Amino acid sequence: MKLSRREFLELSGKSVLAMLALSLPKKLLAMPEEMAKFDWEDYYWGYGIDIEKCIGCGKCVKACKVENNVPDEPFFFRTWIERYVERKDDKIEVDSPNGGKDGFPELKNKKDIKKSFFVPKICNHCEHPPCVQVCPVGATYKTKDGVVLVDPDYCIGCRYCIQACPYGARFLHPEKRVAEKCTLCYHRITKGLRPMCVEACPTGTRIFGNLKDNNSIINKFLKTKKINVLKQHLGTKPKAYYAGMDKEVR
Ligand code: SF4
Ligand code: SF4
């Protein structure tokens, strides 16, 4: 069979793609299909944190910084880890050296410790987000699939949203001079991938999924664990759900 130049190029292109497909992990292969299929009406994202599983290794913080080009200085984080230490005299100590990115130093006076645990923090992607309400130019907004985002083209860097967030989840980017925060890795989740912090966690502390899907991992987590949210009394309706959260966590 004689092939035209165009037919030959098409055929060889397909062969290369087929060879590539055989050597790629399934998850990556799912990407183009997922991308084509993504309709935000089908999704409402939720995030779970199983406090008892967190070992404070900081791999999530590192992975987030790399994935999202978060400035390296120790006061810019889209996610961070806090360590809570409850002493026998009921005093509570909280530390988060470099956001927990490099892990935590050994605890002192171990004999006096009642308990200690790690609490990963992110933007809660609140259902009633005060950060959105205060933005004077509409640069901070909520997507239909429940993610709170900032449009850097519209943000004027006024910091109102940073002050309004009761969770300390935002910062002003030192060079771009616009508000920044966790996006749940929106560039990944809309392609069928998980946020990078979830991907990087070696213990399964961080859980992510579609609240509209009854069989999703996040719904299983919500159904099987005792769940709390941060600062519930504020009425912001966070969508970062914590299992195993001590009453001292704030
Ligand atoms: S945690 Fe803060 S930044 Fe995130 S949605 Fe809620 S108020 Fe806004
Ligand atoms: S990667 Fe997982 S276990 Fe390590 S600090 Fe982050 S949430 Fe905790």
Side-chain angles (χ1 to χ4, degrees), residues 187-230:
H187 58 291
R188 291 175 56 86
I189 63 176
T190 48
K191 292 176 188 155
L193 300 171
R194 302 186 301 172
M196 209 56 210
C197 53
V198 176
E199 204 65 57
C201 175
T203 65
T205 299
R206 293 172 178 257
I207 294 142
F208 172 78
N210 184 8
L211 294 165
K212 281 190 175 174
D213 173 0
N214 278 337
N215 299 316
S216 66
I217 186 167
I218 187 71
N219 273 323
K220 194 170 158 226
F221 177 72
L222 297 181
K223 279 179 210 150
T224 54
K225 304 270 182 182
K226 188 174 178 300
I227 300 295
N228 280 299
V229 292
L230 291 169

Side-chain angles (χ1 to χ4, degrees), residues 152-201:
D153 291 339
Y154 286 87
C155 178
I156 54 171
C158 67
R159 299 171 191 250
Y160 287 1
C161 59
I162 297 171
Q163 282 161 15
C165 172
Y167 303 99
R170 292 175 168 250
F171 61 90
L172 195 76
H173 193 285
E175 281 128 40
K176 298 183 206 160
R177 309 304 293 171
V178 293
E180 272 222 12
K181 59 178 269 303
C182 158
T183 62
L184 287 178
C185 285
Y186 204 66
H187 58 291
R188 291 175 56 86
I189 63 176
T190 48
K191 292 176 188 155
L193 300 171
R194 302 186 301 172
M196 209 56 210
C197 53
V198 176
E199 204 65 57
C201 175

Side-chain angles (χ1 to χ4, degrees), residues 83-112:
R83 175 170 62 182
Y84 279 69
V85 180
E86 250 181 279
R87 299 273 170 195
K88 285 184 182 151
D89 60 4
D90 288 336
K91 280 202 182 119
I92 310 284
E93 294 159 14
V94 184
D95 68 341
S96 182
N98 199 6
K101 181 173 161 248
D102 309 308
F104 288 76
E106 186 90 357
L107 284 167
K108 288 182 188 140
N109 304 326
K110 281 193 181 164
K111 279 196 301 229
D112 303 339

Side-chain angles (χ1 to χ4, degrees), residues 123-126 129-131 148 165-167 169-170 181:
C123 163
N124 291 272
H125 295 278
C126 307
C131 55
V148 175
C165 172
Y167 303 99
R170 292 175 168 250
K181 59 178 269 303

Side-chain angles (χ1 to χ4, degrees), residues 53-61 81 100 118 120 197 200-206:
K53 288 189 177 168
C54 183
I55 54 172
C57 65
K59 289 190 174 163
C60 49
V61 181
I81 311 294
F118 299 101
C197 53
C201 175
T203 65
T205 299
R206 293 172 178 257

Side-chain angles (χ1 to χ4, degrees), residues 18-34:
M19 274 160 62
L20 271 174
L22 284 173
S23 61
L24 284 173
K26 262 199 175 132
K27 198 166 61 183
L28 287 180
L29 284 175
M31 270 179 57
E33 197 192 335
E34 291 290 341

